[in-house]
Amino acid sequence: MSYFRITLHRSAIGLPQRTRDVLSALGLHKRSQTVYHPVEPQFAGMIMKVKELVKVAEVDRKLEKWEVKAERRPDSGFYLEKMAPRMEDGGQKVGSRVLARLRGEEGGEMTVEGVRTEAGGQVRL
Amino acid sequence: MFGAFRATNSLSGGLLWKIPWRLSPTQKYRQRQRLKAVDKVVETLSTALAKKGETVKSLERWKAEMPTEAEMLAKDKYTIFDRKEKRYRKGIHKLPKWTRVSQRLNPPGF
C-alpha cells in the first residue's frame, strides 16, 4: 500500500478559510509538518486544493520520524573503513605469492588475465 | 526643496508603499520555481493514482486546462491581465497572495 507523503511547505496565513480547513483536515497544522495519507482519490482531491502550499511524494510506507530526520542530515564528509585482515609474516601471504609467481620468481605458469582479486579487480604488474 | 521640511511624497501624504512596476530577475526565477513545484505535485498525484487506475475530476480538469511551466509564455508567467491598466497588463506581484495562488490563464487575445 502506497502513501502520499505530504509536507506543509508554505503557510496558509491570510488564505481563505476553506483552504485552511482542507489543511487541518489533512492534519497539517504547522509548516514543515509531514503527514501520510493512503493513495486514494479523496486525498488526491484534498491535495489539489492546497497544491501551492505542500510538497508531495509517493512512498511505499509511512516513514518513521528518525528516517525523515536522517534524510535531512547532510553528508558527514568522511566514512570509517574497516581494517583489512593482515597476514602474519611467515604465514600465507596470498597477495605476495601471486605476485611472485607472476614475476616468475616462483614456479608455475600464470597469465595476467588469470589473476583477479576477490573484489573483482585485476592485478597489474 | 532640500532639508528636513522638503515636500516628498511620504511627508505630504503620510504612509507610502512603493511597489516596483516589474519583477526583478530573482523574483522571476523564484516564480518559475514555484510554478514548477505545483506542476510536480500534480504530476505526482496523477502518476500515483494512475497506478491504481483511478483519477480525480479536479486533477483531470487541471491537466486539461492549465499549461505547465514550460508551456507557458513569459508574459503569462510574470504579468496578469487587468482591464484598468494601460495595455491591459500589470505585474503578477500586484495580485494578492501571488506566491500562493495559481494564476496561469489570461483572457485570449490579451
Side-chain angles (χ1 to χ4, degrees):
Chain A
M1 185 172 175
S2 55
Y3 292 86
F4 286 128
R5 175 180 159 182
I6 313 160
T7 306
L8 184 60
H9 184 52
R10 304 289 313 272
S11 145
I13 291 176
L15 289 185
Q17 191 61 42
R18 293 206 61 148
T19 312
R20 310 183 70 158
D21 289 347
V22 170
L23 281 182
S24 74
L26 280 169
L28 291 166
H29 300 285
K30 324 173 158 182
R31 273 196 58 207
S32 298
Q33 192 182 357
T34 304
V35 292
Y36 295 89
H37 286 295
V39 175
E40 297 285 345
Q42 53 175 347
F43 289 112
M46 285 159 85
I47 296 168
M48 276 305 279
K49 283 269 182 199
V50 292
K51 60 193 168 307
E52 294 90 2
L53 309 179
V54 294
K55 289 179 176 174
V56 181
E58 193 194 357
V59 290
D60 301 331
R61 61 191 173 86
K62 296 181 182 180
L63 297 181
E64 299 290 332
K65 210 163 188 179
W66 64 266
E67 287 174 303
V68 178
K69 204 173 172 187
E71 274 177 23
R72 281 205 297 270
R73 173 162 289 179
D75 186 24
S76 60
F78 66 91
Y79 61 93
L80 293 177
E81 212 174 54
K82 266 193 187 164
M83 209 157 111
R86 309 271 169 180
M87 295 299 167
E88 288 297 318
D89 202 42
Q92 274 196 322
K93 280 188 173 179
V94 179
S96 59
R97 279 186 70 190
V98 170
L99 285 180
R101 282 176 79 182
L102 282 171
R103 289 202 192 96
E105 291 165 13
E106 232 176 278
E109 283 292 311
M110 212 177 211
T111 57
V112 179
E113 285 82 17
V115 180
R116 279 185 175 275
T117 60
E118 276 187 20
Q122 270 205 339
V123 173
R124 268 197 220 160
L125 289 179
Chain B
M1 190 179 278
F2 304 108
F5 300 105
R6 66 194 182 280
T8 61
N9 283 332
S10 56
L11 282 175
S12 51
L15 184 67
L16 176 68
W17 286 14
K18 286 188 172 178
I19 304 176
W21 71 272
R22 58 184 164 187
L23 296 175
S24 74
T26 352
Q27 281 177 311
K28 286 161 74 171
Y29 169 75
R30 289 196 300 260
Q31 165 73 351
R32 288 196 296 277
Q33 300 303 307
R34 281 192 295 270
L35 290 170
K36 282 178 195 165
V38 173
D39 288 343
K40 210 175 144 196
V41 169
V42 172
E43 201 194 316
T44 309
L45 292 183
S46 103
T47 50
L49 285 182
K51 277 184 210 162
K52 296 188 77 185
E54 299 194 72
T55 186
V56 183
K57 195 175 157 192
S58 60
L59 186 67
E60 288 307 306
R61 183 146 183 233
W62 176 277
K63 284 201 288 182
E65 288 179 9
M66 288 293 198
T68 63
E69 191 269 341
E71 289 164 4
M72 284 173 73
L73 297 175
K75 76 170 192 179
D76 285 335
K77 286 185 207 174
Y78 312 124
T79 61
I80 179 180
F81 170 78
D82 181 16
R83 69 190 163 88
K84 301 183 293 299
E85 204 74 18
K86 200 183 269 184
R87 294 184 45 90
Y88 302 110
R89 283 278 171 172
K90 65 181 181 181
I92 198 167
H93 58 299
K94 310 261 182 148
L95 176 73
K97 317 286 177 220
W98 68 284
T99 62
R100 289 179 289 157
V101 293
S102 285
Q103 156 55 47
R104 299 195 176 197
L105 292 177
N106 286 292
F110 288 95

